[in-house]
C-alpha cells in the first residue's frame, strides 16, 4: 500500500518533471477526489484577438475618462464602462462618421427620448453602444473592431454630448500602437 502510494507519487513527480503539468492535472482530476485542483470554469469565447478596454467618467463632470482609447484592427473589443458619477446616468455610444454624424446621433437620441434609452431610431451611424448606466454602475459590451481609423464616442443623454462628453477611439492597423498607450490584449 505504502509502496503503491510512493510509486504513484514518483510517477506524478516524473510527469511533472518532464513538463507534464497539464497531464498531471488531468490525472488528478480523473481520480475525482476533492484534493484535485479545481479549475475555474471559463465562459471565454474563443476569438482571434480581443482587446479589453476600460473607460469611466470624471466623477460628476460631463467628461469621459480617458478621452482617448486605442485598439488594434482585426479583432474584437470588450469594453467596460464604469459610471463614476453619483448623480448622472450615462451611456457610451461609438459613432461611425465625422462631426455631422455625431450631431445627427445626438439630435436623434434626444428626439428618441427616455423610452428609447436616448438611442436614435436610425442606428446606421452607431457602431456599438452600451445601455444607459445608472450612477455608480458599470456594463460591458463586446463588438467587432471597426476598420482602422478614428471614431468618436459620446454620451447621448440629452446635453451630455454637447457639453463635451466625448472622446476618440483610435483603431490602428496590425496592432501597432503609439508609445505610451496602455491596453490589454488577450489572446
Ligand atoms: Cu452622460
Amino acid at each position: 500500500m505504502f509502496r503503491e502510494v510512493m510509486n504513484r507519487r514518483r510517477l506524478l513527480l516524473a510527469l511533472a518533471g518532464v513538463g507534464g503539468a497539464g497531464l498531471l492535472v488531468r490525472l488528478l482530476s480523473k481520480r475525482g477526489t476533492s484534493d484535485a485542483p479545481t479549475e475555474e470554469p471559463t465562459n471565454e469565447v474563443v476569438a482571434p484577438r480581443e482587446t479589453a478596454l476600460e473607460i469611466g467618467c470624471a466623477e460628476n463632470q460631463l467628461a469621459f475618462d480617458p478621452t482617448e482609447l486605442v485598439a488594434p484592427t482585426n479583432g474584437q473589443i470588450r469594453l467596460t464602462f464604469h459610471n463614476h458619477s453619483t448623480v448622472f446616468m450615462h451611456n457610451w455610444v461609438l459613432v461611425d462618421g465625422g462631426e455631422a454624424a455625431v450631431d445627427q446621433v445626438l439630435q436623434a437620441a434626444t428626439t428618441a427620448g427616455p423610452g428609447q434609452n436616448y438611442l436614435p431610431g436610425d442606428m446606421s451611424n452607431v457602431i456599438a453602444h452600451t445601455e444607459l448606466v445608472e450612477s455608480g454602475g458599470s456594463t460591458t459590451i463586446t463588438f467587432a473592431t471597426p476598420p482602422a481609423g478614428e471614431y468618436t464616442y459620446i454620451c447621448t443623454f440629452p446635453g451630455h454630448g454637447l457639453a463635451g462628453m466625448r472622446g476618440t477611439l483610435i483603431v490602428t492597423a496590425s496592432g501597432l500602437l503609439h508609445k505610451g498607450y496602455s491596453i490589454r490584449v488577450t489572446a
Side-chain angles (χ1 to χ4, degrees), residues 69-80:
L69 296 171
V70 182
T73 51
N74 299 323
Q76 62 180 23
I77 292 173
R78 181 179 168 84
L79 176 132
T80 300

Side-chain angles (χ1 to χ4, degrees), residues 23-110:
L23 180 60
L24 174 63
V25 167
R26 279 199 297 277
L27 280 171
L28 288 170
S29 299
K30 255 187 196 154
R31 288 165 64 202
T33 52
S34 57
D35 63 343
T38 49
E39 288 181 57
E40 288 290 318
T42 56
N43 297 321
E44 252 180 337
V45 178
V46 177
R49 178 163 60 179
E50 186 177 85
T51 304
L53 299 176
E54 304 253 339
I55 187 162
C57 56
E59 203 164 318
N60 290 330
Q61 292 166 42
L62 298 177
F64 283 115
D65 179 25
T67 54
E68 199 168 277
L69 296 171
V70 182
T73 51
N74 299 323
Q76 62 180 23
I77 292 173
R78 181 179 168 84
L79 176 132
T80 300
F81 171 50
H82 305 276
N83 183 353
H84 294 128
S85 167
T86 57
V87 288
F88 296 120
M89 293 180 85
H90 294 301
N91 62 9
W92 184 91
V93 178
L94 186 62
V95 177
D96 189 10
E99 202 56 32
V102 169
D103 287 345
Q104 183 271 324
V105 169
L106 285 175
Q107 210 160 71
T110 302

Side-chain angles (χ1 to χ4, degrees), residues 95-140:
V95 177
D96 189 10
E99 202 56 32
V102 169
D103 287 345
Q104 183 271 324
V105 169
L106 285 175
Q107 210 160 71
T110 302
T111 305
Q116 307 298 317
N117 291 312
Y118 298 113
L119 289 170
D122 174 9
M123 295 285 276
S124 54
N125 286 331
V126 174
I127 298 168
H129 68 89
T130 68
E131 76 241 43
L132 271 176
V133 180
E134 300 279 351
S135 55
S138 66
T139 191
T140 300

Side-chain angles (χ1 to χ4, degrees), residues 89-91 155 157 160 165:
M89 293 180 85
H90 294 301
N91 62 9
C155 172
F157 194 94
H160 293 193
M165 191 159 186

Side-chain angles (χ1 to χ4, degrees), residues 121-187:
D122 174 9
M123 295 285 276
S124 54
N125 286 331
V126 174
I127 298 168
H129 68 89
T130 68
E131 76 241 43
L132 271 176
V133 180
E134 300 279 351
S135 55
S138 66
T139 191
T140 300
I141 56 169
T142 302
F143 57 96
T145 308
E150 296 194 2
Y151 304 86
T152 301
Y153 52 84
I154 53 176
C155 172
T156 60
F157 194 94
H160 293 193
L162 283 175
M165 191 159 186
R166 53 178 76 195
T168 306
L169 169 68
I170 301 168
V171 178
T172 64
S174 57
L176 293 171
L177 303 176
H178 298 279
K179 247 173 111 179
Y181 289 124
S182 149
I183 67 159
R184 191 157 47 91
V185 178
T186 54

